[in-house]
Amino acid sequence: MAKAEDVKVKPRSKRAKRILEKREPKLVEEVKTALLLHGNKTSQITKDVLTDIHKLKFREALKLSRKNDDMRPFEPGGETHLEHLARKADCGMFVLDSHSKKRPHNLILGRFFDHRLYDLLELGVEKYRGIREFAAASASVQAGNKPCFAFVGEQFESDPDFRQAKSMLLDLFRGRLVENINLKGVDHVMFVAALDRKLLFRPYAIRFKKSGTKIPRVELAEMGPQLDLALRRTQPAGPELEREAMKRAVTTKKKVKNVSRDNLEGKVGRMYVPRQEVDTMPLRKMKGLKRERQQTAAAAKVDKKQRSEGAPTVAE
């Protein structure tokens, strides 16, 4: 018997058809929408952190207000309801907050592949200052603009847990992938430093000041949220799921005959021209040849007239 998620749903309206087409796999995937939700027990600190993440993500996040008792992603079977919500809301990742005596002020970050749980990262909030405490700096940042990222620390290259944390933070805050961007569109920096087993998360607002030249003077002002995050638990993707997620679609272009590419000359083509029969080809008469024939004809006419009158010709 087929599972409920394996059954293909037929749209009953044009709007439903557009929604299903939007959720279909694409060669270039769109930005991941984050699902922000609460666990069974939460604290005011983790609630404020989710609110600040929602402000930074703007329209690329969906925040739910109800508590969820059956969401324990690290336990077997605890991801079922989470995957159901992700499939329903079409979200690519999630941030779940919880609070307990063993793990106080806890944040769980995770990603999905094909609406299945891919990997997990658990962080503990040890220090927090919200965006509301940096209202002057955060007011200059426009929602939807692209951030710069600065990851400081050799752990982001050597430690697999820190590499996973870097990848998740990039997916969470980078926004839409673009080829070109205006200088005014980059108005904040995400600064993340690795210290022991902690992540120091510091967003800064970029301010362009007058410098007397065409290049402005750049200043940074902390905009919040200021977070000290302790790295607790991680769960990497399974080998089979990772192999499936890393597959790339084969894009085969239709081959054009007699056209190739050269590293120096670029696009090179070969043209085939049939043999031209010049002898039998009706060529266009040039004006110069036409004038020459007219002069020859006029001279012959004068010569004939002189012969008829008995006058000596030019040849004589």
Side-chain angles (χ1 to χ4, degrees), residues 241-256:
L241 188 61
E242 185 179 10
R243 196 180 306 113
E244 187 179 352
M246 291 299 176
K247 285 183 180 179
R248 293 188 178 183
V250 180
T251 55
T252 56
K253 294 183 179 180
K254 188 177 180 180
K255 187 177 179 181
V256 182

Side-chain angles (χ1 to χ4, degrees), residues 15 24 27 40 58 84 92 94 108 111 179 198 250:
R15 181 172 176 270
E24 288 180 355
L27 290 176
N40 184 21
F58 190 48
H84 170 71
F94 73 94
I108 300 177
R111 290 180 287 193
E179 296 181 358
K198 294 182 181 180
V250 180

Side-chain angles (χ1 to χ4, degrees), residues 59-305:
R59 295 178 181 175
E60 297 164 359
L62 177 63
K63 188 172 181 291
L64 304 181
S65 58
R66 292 184 178 180
K67 292 184 179 180
N68 300 275
D69 300 333
D70 52 352
M71 287 192 183
R72 297 176 179 86
F74 282 96
E75 298 180 8
E79 75 282 356
T80 307
H81 186 52
L82 188 61
E83 291 176 350
H84 170 71
L85 289 178
R87 187 180 300 106
K88 187 177 180 180
D90 192 24
C91 294
M93 63 186 311
F94 73 94
V95 182
L96 174 69
D97 72 326
S98 61
H99 179 69
S100 64
K101 186 177 180 180
K102 186 178 180 181
R103 295 185 178 89
H105 313 303
N106 203 43
L107 291 177
I108 300 177
L109 281 70
R111 290 180 287 193
F112 299 100
F113 171 72
D114 195 20
H115 301 130
R116 290 175 290 170
L117 190 62
Y118 183 73
D119 56 355
L120 293 170
L121 173 69
E122 189 178 57
L123 304 170
V125 181
E126 296 187 347
K127 181 183 176 182
Y128 166 72
R129 289 181 65 191
I131 292 179
R132 62 179 179 274
E133 299 184 31
F134 306 93
S138 60
S140 61
V141 177
Q142 295 183 4
N145 281 359
K146 296 284 291 183
C148 290
F149 287 91
F151 291 92
V152 179
E154 56 88 18
Q155 292 98 319
F156 289 114
E157 302 298 331
S158 59
D159 194 328
D161 294 342
F162 280 88
R163 282 202 303 266
Q164 184 178 353
K166 177 182 177 181
S167 176
M168 280 199 177
L169 290 175
L170 284 173
D171 275 352
L172 184 61
F173 293 110
R174 69 181 176 183
R176 299 183 179 275
L177 298 177
V178 294
E179 296 181 358
N180 301 316
I181 189 169
N182 190 0
L183 182 62
K184 294 291 184 180
V186 183
D187 54 8
H188 59 291
V189 178
M190 299 290 183
F191 179 84
V192 186
L195 182 64
D196 297 331
R197 291 290 294 178
K198 294 182 181 180
L199 293 173
L200 308 182
F201 184 77
R202 303 288 189 271
Y204 291 90
I206 300 175
R207 293 175 176 175
F208 298 103
K209 302 290 186 177
K210 293 182 179 179
S211 62
T213 61
K214 292 183 178 180
I215 301 175
R217 181 167 57 89
V218 179
E219 291 184 357
L220 298 179
E222 194 167 359
M223 54 171 280
Q226 186 184 108
L227 292 168
D228 288 0
L229 303 170
L231 219 61
R232 289 178 177 168
R233 288 186 293 177
T234 60
Q235 179 179 307
E240 294 183 1
L241 188 61
E242 185 179 10
R243 196 180 306 113
E244 187 179 352
M246 291 299 176
K247 285 183 180 179
R248 293 188 178 183
V250 180
T251 55
T252 56
K253 294 183 179 180
K254 188 177 180 180
K255 187 177 179 181
V256 182
K257 294 177 66 175
N258 305 322
V259 176
S260 60
R261 289 200 166 271
D262 195 335
N263 293 332
L264 297 177
E265 299 181 0
K267 193 173 182 179
V268 181
R270 182 180 296 176
M271 295 178 62
Y272 291 91
V273 181
R275 182 181 177 184
Q276 299 180 0
E277 301 293 338
V278 184
D279 299 336
T280 59
M281 185 181 299
L283 300 175
R284 184 179 177 184
K285 297 178 181 179
M286 298 174 59
K287 289 184 178 180
L289 297 176
K290 187 176 180 182
R291 192 180 303 112
E292 213 174 284
R293 290 198 304 273
Q294 288 178 353
Q295 292 176 358
T296 306
K301 188 176 181 181
V302 172
D303 190 17
K304 185 177 179 182
K305 186 177 180 182

